[in-house]
Amino acid sequence: MDLEARLRAFAAVAREGSFSRAAESLYVSQPAVSKHVAALEAEVGEQLIVRARGGVALTPAGQVLADYVLRAQALLANARRALGAGEHAQIGTLALAASGVPGTYLLPATLTRFRELHPAVEIEFRTTTSAGALELVRAHEAELCVVGGFTTPPELEAEPLAEDEIVLVGPPSLGTRRLRPKDLEQLTWVTREEGSATRAAVEAARWELGLGSVRTLELPSWEAVKLAVAAGAGIAPISRFALDLELSAGALVVLDVSRWRLRRTISVVRARDVPLTPPAERFLALLGEAFAPEEKQLPPNSNLPAEPTPLVGRERELVEIAALLRTSRVVTLTGPGGSGKTRLALAAAARLVDAFADGVLLVELAPLRDPELVERAIADVVGAGDESIEDALAGRRTLVVLDNVEHLAGAARVASRLVARTEHVRVLATSRTPLRIRAEARYPVEPLPEADAVQLFVERALAADPRFEADAAVPAICDRLDRLPLAIELAAARVAAFAPAELLERLERPLPVLVGGARDLPERQRTLRRAVEWSRELLAARDADGFERLAVFRGGWTAEAARAVGVDERSLAELVESSLAQRIDERYAMLETIRELAHERFEARADAERLRSRHARHVGAFAEEARSHARGPDEPAWLARTAEELDNIRAALDWCLERGEAALGLAIAGALEAFWYRSARYREGLGRLEPLLELDGKTPAGVRARALATAGRLASELGDAPRARRWFDEALPLARRARDRESEAWVLHGLGSVAALEGDRALAKELLEASLARFLELGRHAQAGGRLSYLGELAYADGDLEATRSYYERSVEEFAKAGDEDGVLGSIEGLALVAFEQEDLARAAELFERGLADTSPASRVYFLAGIAAVAARRGDRADAAKLLGAVEALESELDTTPVTTMRPGYAEAVGEPDSAGRDLRADEAVALARELLERGE
């Protein structure tokens, strides 16, 4: 048996998937095929084929050998065809496969052109699905396959549809009205058969629009899809190339759907390491010519530089800048140093050369220091000579790009006069501050989106080190650098010296690390520090001082907070205008890379400690005001504000602990009892309080009593009764000495909760009743409601459901008087519990559903667990177990006693939680709960 026979037998088995069919294809006996394969396995020393009842399968070694053998057979067959036809270099066979869209609408013209150029070449062309086309290449039955896919491009609603674009279409009855997601949910989506790229397009469209479950109708071809849609069966994404006739006849209409449009992508696939036959090489070259993008040549009167490296991302920005220049005479790109204003302006200008017949002219102003030289610099670029620049540009359609104007007051004046005295001139400027002229439209340049930032880093890293491999540290590096292009490029240049993880560690303070940069960059852009300092150096002394003072804040600040450390609103506005600070709603913040420079300068100030003291005292005033709104209608808003200030609160408490300012620290941490409790930050709150309580200091009795009461409550919530009792026992005499009735009421409540934890429910009830009486005397309705809910818990533990109901009903009344909606919802859970225990499932379900609106994570899990219990009692045990699994996952993120411990009846009704529920997010768990309630109606 020779080697060729063995390989031929093996290839037949690999191709046919059975020894019998292989024997039939080779016209030999099955034993002969088996002997050939066995001999081949002995020769290579590997098992190649595994025999089973259902047929045969290739081992990994067999798959490798099959790839080589089938590839050789395909090449040999092509060579034989070419040799048999003569004129060997010019003729042969082109074996080609394509998926539906390319095969039906894009390739026919190219294939026709190929036939004209090479009439002797035999063409084997098959259309199938994308998966089918790829399989033909894998089996070496086709040399090339052309498959289509879909991507979601940037916002292009204002742009005309490209000829090769995929669009969403519907029947004429839909007209041209703009459709919203709720309209689309009522329609059937028409797709092609399973495996087609169109089905993927439908899924992408639905995901983009945020649609839930919609009906689908699968059809086998584009023509069937178009006919079904025209007849009103639904809507579909279809190739624009295929729509000309239908659109002109009015059989279909393009739907105006916000936020979605798809564009086709085309890919050519070939077998790895297989040399193409001459016909395939020629077809590939012809295909490249047919789909080559048109290169825009800059007109001779434009002086834009060739882009040294391609712009990464920014497609949305380029479209929006072009749109602004159609409606505004002056557009200024603003942003902090390193945000990529110059590169974005150059890319936008290069795209617009066709729109400005008389050219796009770049005037670089960074080197200038004298504002009086601006006009001369522009005149030199436009070739004004002895004329004024307005006269030189009169009647011309020209875009003038003024790069880096922030330090030259004269630039604004010249730009204003230029557009006022010409008809068609536009100005595109880059500056850290706006020009502040009437004709100006401002366009802030934001940091890159995460995906683009990562792509930029990887591209620049590969340029620095071709062996670079990205890992999980790269997104973290980009986030640490605020996704600023300059910072990312400078960091990527360091990958030859540091692995990404090492670089991330060194970027704890990025300014010293990010030095170097391309030698042809301006000096101010060769280090991140210089890019930031360039902006700071242009500030007036008063604003530069404010820039440093604001570094005392962490995580942002308000205008009121800025005043507390000596920065007025005028300086704030100047810093925002200078791109050194950002305003987001009512708060201000700095990018971390900018704040680092500010913080360095802050640390060098002689008054740094005094400013930290002012910052901590401002936080103290904020905490006291937040306390005054606790357990009332304004509590949710103040909890949200406190969460926003959490970084500043932590900074102030750190400073108090370092400086031994026990009284101020305890006042802050104690006043935030509602925040620690409502947001289930029990451990963090207690961790902040305990070291401050251990400091020696002259803390007023009332301040220490309040802090002790807060610490005790947090320890109690964590189930640590001994630690809680220690704090409460110390707090009670202090509160009475300070005649602080409210703190006394809180301590009595705390002692009652400790007694309950220790099993003495009679004492617990006595203490809670005393706490309730104090709160009622003070007119604190929300606090009274809370004590009533605790008394309801005690009654439930005693098995007295009627007393439980009475306490919770009174609790709802007191919370309602205070306008405390969260408190009302918490007590409603108690009433739902009573209904559940009394087998009134309809009433329990109604009450539990009200609690799904509860915004408190610690409370919401009770309602979800209750709904799971109701669903289980109604027979829906599988999804009830899944929901209880989600509750377990949500509880793992909170410092709280598990619901199943507090409500064992819920766990008994459901049984073992389903671990699959642990993958659900909070919103998905709520959605599942609502679905379970709807099933039971």
Side-chain angles (χ1 to χ4, degrees), residues 8 11-13 15-16 18-28:
R8 194 162 49 243
V13 174
R15 188 169 48 247
E16 301 294 340
S18 89
F19 279 88
S20 60
R21 288 196 297 273
E24 291 175 6
S25 68
L26 295 174
Y27 301 102
V28 298

Side-chain angles (χ1 to χ4, degrees), residues 718-896:
L718 289 169
D720 191 341
R723 186 159 52 157
R725 177 175 290 284
R726 176 160 56 93
W727 298 131
F728 287 133
D729 284 344
E730 183 184 347
L732 188 59
L734 288 173
R736 287 172 173 166
R737 187 197 316 164
R739 297 183 180 179
D740 185 342
R741 301 282 282 171
E742 185 165 355
S743 289
E744 181 187 356
W746 278 116
V747 174
L748 289 169
H749 159 81
L751 289 168
S753 65
V754 169
L757 284 173
E758 293 173 342
D760 190 342
R761 287 202 286 270
L763 177 60
K765 182 178 179 181
E766 178 184 340
L767 290 166
L768 288 170
E769 291 280 9
S771 175
L772 171 63
R774 301 289 193 284
F775 281 125
L776 288 173
E777 289 169 9
L778 293 168
R780 302 286 196 267
H781 296 291
Q783 288 84 340
R787 289 347 92 209
L788 286 162
S789 67
Y790 272 89
L791 288 163
E793 291 285 345
L794 286 178
Y796 173 71
D798 286 334
D800 190 343
L801 292 181
E802 288 307 314
T804 303
R805 188 209 311 273
S806 175
Y807 279 126
Y808 278 122
E809 286 174 347
R810 289 176 60 195
S811 177
V812 168
E813 291 175 5
E814 291 296 325
F815 278 127
K817 289 177 185 177
D820 186 341
E821 289 299 322
D822 283 344
V824 169
L825 287 171
S827 295
I828 283 175
E829 191 270 336
L831 293 173
L833 171 66
V834 172
F836 175 77
E837 294 287 1
Q838 294 179 334
E839 294 292 333
D840 188 350
L841 298 184
R843 176 63 175 162
E846 176 190 349
L847 292 169
F848 281 133
E849 184 173 19
R850 288 178 62 181
L852 292 181
D854 195 338
T855 57
S856 167
S859 299
R860 185 167 50 203
V861 291
Y862 283 87
F863 291 98
L864 293 172
I867 291 169
V870 169
R873 286 273 176 89
R874 287 173 168 173
D876 203 341
R877 301 188 65 84
D879 278 340
K882 185 177 180 181
L883 183 57
L884 196 60
V887 168
E888 281 191 344
L890 294 172
E891 285 176 331
S892 68
E893 301 172 6
L894 303 170
D895 292 329
T896 185

Side-chain angles (χ1 to χ4, degrees), residues 185-511:
E185 283 183 327
Q186 309 303 316
L187 300 172
T188 296
W189 288 64
V190 185
T191 73
R192 287 191 56 196
E193 61 188 354
E194 183 74 34
S196 76
T198 309
R199 185 175 183 84
V202 169
E203 295 301 322
R206 286 168 48 188
W207 181 84
E208 279 289 319
L209 290 163
L211 296 179
S213 176
V214 296
R215 295 174 297 164
T216 60
L217 173 66
E218 296 179 9
L219 296 176
S221 71
W222 279 113
E223 296 303 322
V225 169
K226 289 188 294 187
L227 290 173
V229 174
I235 58 178
I238 296 182
S239 167
R240 176 59 185 258
F241 206 81
L243 290 181
D244 289 339
L245 181 61
E246 287 80 3
L247 292 175
S248 62
L252 297 175
V253 293
V254 176
L255 301 183
D256 188 9
V257 180
S258 62
R259 297 189 298 115
W260 179 66
R261 184 168 292 151
L262 294 173
R263 176 164 288 177
R264 183 188 308 107
T265 60
I266 300 299
S267 299
V268 180
V269 183
R270 55 185 286 186
R272 180 184 296 171
D273 300 328
V274 177
L276 295 177
T277 59
E281 291 278 13
R282 291 194 292 271
F283 177 79
L284 198 57
L286 190 63
L287 193 65
E289 294 174 11
F291 291 98
E294 295 183 9
E295 294 186 6
K296 292 185 177 180
Q297 299 296 324
L298 296 179
N301 57 345
S302 289
N303 68 338
L304 294 178
E307 186 69 25
T309 53
L311 187 69
V312 174
R314 299 297 197 195
E315 189 63 34
R316 174 183 59 81
E317 289 90 337
L318 291 170
V319 171
E320 291 175 350
I321 291 167
L324 274 177
L325 283 167
R326 286 196 290 269
T327 58
S328 303
R329 299 296 302 278
V330 179
V331 174
T332 306
L333 308 188
T334 63
S339 60
K341 300 183 294 296
T342 295
R343 182 164 293 181
L344 179 59
L346 293 178
R351 283 198 175 190
L352 293 169
V353 291
D354 290 342
F356 292 91
D358 298 304
V360 177
L361 303 174
L362 170 64
V363 183
E364 296 180 334
L365 299 176
L368 300 185
R369 289 295 178 267
D370 186 349
E372 298 302 319
L373 296 178
V374 172
E375 189 164 356
R376 183 67 263 167
I378 298 174
D380 289 343
V381 172
V382 304
D386 294 332
E387 297 177 283
S388 68
I389 56 175
E390 304 95 85
D391 290 340
L393 294 174
R396 292 169 60 180
R397 294 183 179 275
T398 302
L399 174 64
V400 178
V401 182
L402 302 179
D403 189 31
N404 289 290
V405 304
E406 55 265 2
H407 60 300
L408 298 166
R413 184 178 66 252
V414 174
S416 179
R417 194 179 73 235
L418 178 59
V419 296
R421 297 181 183 178
T422 60
E423 186 177 357
H424 303 298
V425 172
R426 295 284 195 273
V427 173
L428 176 61
T430 70
S431 176
R432 66 172 182 81
T433 59
L435 300 182
R436 301 187 184 96
I437 59 177
R438 285 182 296 175
E440 179 185 36
R442 305 174 184 181
Y443 189 86
V445 178
E446 303 290 343
L448 288 168
E450 180 177 331
D452 292 339
V454 170
Q455 181 185 347
L456 176 63
F457 184 95
V458 171
E459 288 187 7
R460 301 301 187 261
L462 287 171
D465 180 3
R467 295 171 298 176
F468 170 76
E469 293 184 4
D471 59 25
V474 172
I477 289 171
C478 295
D479 285 341
R480 178 64 187 88
L481 298 174
D482 297 314
R483 304 192 304 279
L484 291 174
L486 173 61
I488 290 169
E489 294 195 15
L490 292 171
R494 312 287 288 180
V495 298
F498 305 110
E502 295 174 310
L503 185 57
L504 177 60
E505 184 177 349
R506 290 173 179 268
L507 286 174
E508 185 62 30
R509 293 184 63 243
L511 293 177

